[in-house]
Amino acid sequence: MRLSKAFLPTLKETPADAQIASHRLMLRAGMVRQTSAGIYAWLPLGWRVLQRVEQIVREEQDAAGAQEILMPTIQTADLWRQSGRYDAYGPEMLRLRDRHDREMLYGPTNEEMVTEIFRGYARSYRDLPRNLYHIQWKFRDEVRPRFGVMRGREFLMKDAYSFDLDYAGAQASYRRMFVAYLRTFARMGLKAIPMRAATGPIGGNLSHEFVVLAETGESQVFLHRDLLDFDVLRAAPDYEGDLSSVVDFWTGRYAATDEEHDEAAWGAIPEGRRVSARGIEVGHIFYFGTKYSAAMDLKVPGPDGALVEPEMGSYGIGVSRLVGALIEANHDEAGIKWPDAVAPFAAAVLNLKQGDAACDALCERLHAALAPACLYDDRAERAGVKFADADLMGHPWQAIVGPRGAAAGKVELKRRATGERQEVSFEDAVARVRETGAG
Amino acid sequence: MRLSKAFLPTLKETPADAQIASHRLMLRAGMVRQTSAGIYAWLPLGWRVLQRVEQIVREEQDAAGAQEILMPTIQTADLWRQSGRYDAYGPEMLRLRDRHDREMLYGPTNEEMVTEIFRGYARSYRDLPRNLYHIQWKFRDEVRPRFGVMRGREFLMKDAYSFDLDYAGAQASYRRMFVAYLRTFARMGLKAIPMRAATGPIGGNLSHEFVVLAETGESQVFLHRDLLDFDVLRAAPDYEGDLSSVVDFWTGRYAATDEEHDEAAWGAIPEGRRVSARGIEVGHIFYFGTKYSAAMDLKVPGPDGALVEPEMGSYGIGVSRLVGALIEANHDEAGIKWPDAVAPFAAAVLNLKQGDAACDALCERLHAALAPACLYDDRAERAGVKFADADLMGHPWQAIVGPRGAAAGKVELKRRATGERQEVSFEDAVARVRETGAG
């Protein structure tokens, strides 16, 4: 893509009302634009990242055996009356009336709706287990939305819902999502730690938050260093088999948010293995048994013919929030440093002398070889502007072409994450970018 | 995917309230489930089709130089007051108030919002032309929603918006979308005919509807047979060049909806070249000049320094509606007949004797070779049930494995569109399915 023709506007000024790094950088890099309080439009740079994040989430859900559906954003109040949550849910629920004066709402979550859908089709225990997920926009009418997409009102969430015949099955479903979540965040280059959590308004008695570590994170967390050292992606999980040992590794070592922190348990860890860090919640999983199946009359005949209320769990990932978390975990003063796996473009080609025949020709060749994951800065701008915009937008690679190098067929290749620079041939530049699989 | 573990529920009964073929078949095939009047959840089979349709739309928009963004569903009323449409828009607009009692709405379209976004960044004529599009859920509160996803209240639309410096540029943008639309529908195996249309509430003075031909279509259309004979995909368009000759071919021959029909012009066509058919509107493009830029104060300095109000157009495709239109154009009494390009699965493997060692082994091999676009019907069901469900769900290919064939290593391959059947080897079955690129 040629920057001269793209809609990739950057801002020089730091927006005054943006309090955290990701919010500042997303506005400055032209990733999003606020259209109302806590509601954002995703511009091309942000939209590319959001799609890549969403795709990784999708692939790991599919690998774990969850099946994708798409539930609508607008729900009827009647559905929520069946679970008793319509009145219980506070002012964060966006309530509305349609032209026939029927009470509706913009879904903040989908336990009720998915239970109703499953109830419509499940005929026997042979229809279990199932795990249905969707990736859909939700609305929570926060009283004071802030921190950009980290705490917006309209936000993109992946929510999965499992249905099992019994407790053992439900625990197995929970473990599959537990492991899928570890892999999802690891693939994005994030260190995510599951932490035992309170279940809150979803209900139930077993729940974990997944907290991503970032120096500028929103809350304090405490964990055993073993959890940091573990390589999640070392082996592919067997989702058909027993995942207890993997889950036990994680749940058997100390990890707690500030609210759940236990000084005594923490003190029992050898000092050198204690890690205290800042974190950002990006996922939350719940087992809540028959809370919704009982309330909403979801029953299927079991193997012995007796009716069974399926055991359920729900599993959320804040997809749009993750984009903010990724920036909190990967940035410096100059801008964003995208991990390869979620970068909007693998590389930017910076032409330092637009109009110079050798520069233009080499840049065109690079752009063609690295398409479609390449952004060619072909604007009639000073080198300094191009450097600053590339650092701000955070492309993993910058291929810098000046007149002296171009005459010798050389490219200066800069790795954004480390700042490392190397003068290389055209072929080596293309090969280096490609081998990281970025963009 | 194994049908025994999938969430692909089919219904034997024809739903009583479904009046048209696509609505009936989408419910019976388990593609969608109604969750409120005119609001649907997309189940895995439907969701796969919707994603494939969306991806073709996206690829053709990108090829034509449009850039993808994502605007939110909830908008402020203030934005629509700037254009004067807040009061003008009727009860189809879903209006609501947030917890701070601010007037908001669920976007039925996005002219205002995209103009506001573009206004926020455009600094000079060098920022033109641009075409921004998104694929997002919209809401129109139809008084009597019906015909399933063909006339739902919450529906998925692709809407693009072009910004040009002058009339000539705006016409070139219009032609790019015109050609992109022809290709989009042709890639899905549809015959889509552009027809001159009234502009309605969007405003402006140039507009075309794209109408897909289907025997069970909603309205009568009239066209010159030349338009049917033209092979849209024969040559790739040059979007950088002048597309006038292509557009002139289409606009120079008679094509009209019932409302715009002109008996005299129609009568002037040689009788053998007159086609009267049923059609379904699936896209609509508009040129409306400076209507929104003037109303919303979008101006940029032109090359001579004088302020210019950009000329705009908007371009919609009903993405969820297209799924219904595809079925209207491709079905028979037994069910759906998916075109290869949008099929949810390329093939279904039908095991006629589950538990027979040779059948099971051959089916497993087929399933593995054709994954992930293969659905393996491994249920303990009678052959008749499997045949009926495969015909209903409409997979382009059925690979039928019975004990006699399996013992000889043979597969019966059925082409759903034609009913043609052939006994072939494992290798030929895999090759035939793959070469159609289905699923």
Side-chain angles (χ1 to χ4, degrees), chain A residues 152-164:
Chain A
R153 295 198 290 170
E154 186 168 331
F155 60 98
L156 188 60
M157 186 162 90
K158 185 286 299 179
D159 35 326
Y161 303 90
S162 64
F163 299 87
D164 279 275

Side-chain angles (χ1 to χ4, degrees), chain B residues 105-134:
Chain B
L105 58 98
Y106 198 122
T109 178
N110 286 67
E111 280 80 8
E112 284 80 0
M113 187 179 276
V114 78
T115 303
E116 194 284 326
I117 290 170
F118 195 72
R119 186 178 67 190
Y121 301 103
R123 296 286 166 262
S124 89
Y125 67 93
R126 278 185 294 266
D127 294 323
L128 300 169
R130 292 293 185 278
N131 182 327
L132 304 178
Y133 78 98
H134 75 159

Side-chain angles (χ1 to χ4, degrees), chain A residues 160-203:
Chain A
Y161 303 90
S162 64
F163 299 87
D164 279 275
L165 193 61
D166 54 25
Y167 178 79
Q171 297 301 304
S173 289
Y174 189 90
R175 288 192 287 265
R176 278 191 288 273
M177 287 293 106
F178 190 106
V179 172
Y181 275 38
L182 289 170
R183 288 183 53 82
T184 300
F185 303 124
R187 280 186 58 191
M188 297 176 196
L190 294 169
K191 279 281 176 198
I193 311 291
M195 302 191 175
R196 183 125 188 157
T199 55
I202 302 274

Side-chain angles (χ1 to χ4, degrees), chain A residues 48-107:
Chain A
R48 279 177 168 247
V49 177
L50 189 65
Q51 280 184 298
R52 296 202 73 191
V53 168
E54 182 180 326
Q55 186 56 23
I56 291 173
V57 170
R58 172 175 291 126
E59 287 169 10
E60 294 299 325
Q61 291 290 295
D62 291 344
Q67 297 175 58
E68 191 170 3
I69 62 175
L70 188 71
M71 290 179 271
T73 59
I74 300 296
Q75 309 186 14
T76 64
D78 288 347
L79 202 54
W80 288 66
R81 292 213 172 85
Q82 292 178 37
S83 70
R85 284 208 292 181
Y86 188 65
D87 295 320
Y89 221 100
E92 285 190 9
M93 178 183 278
L94 186 67
R95 296 158 206 257
L96 52 110
R97 285 170 185 272
D98 71 7
R99 68 190 289 172
H100 298 298
D101 213 34
R102 284 178 293 222
E103 289 176 275
M104 316 284 285
L105 58 99
Y106 197 122

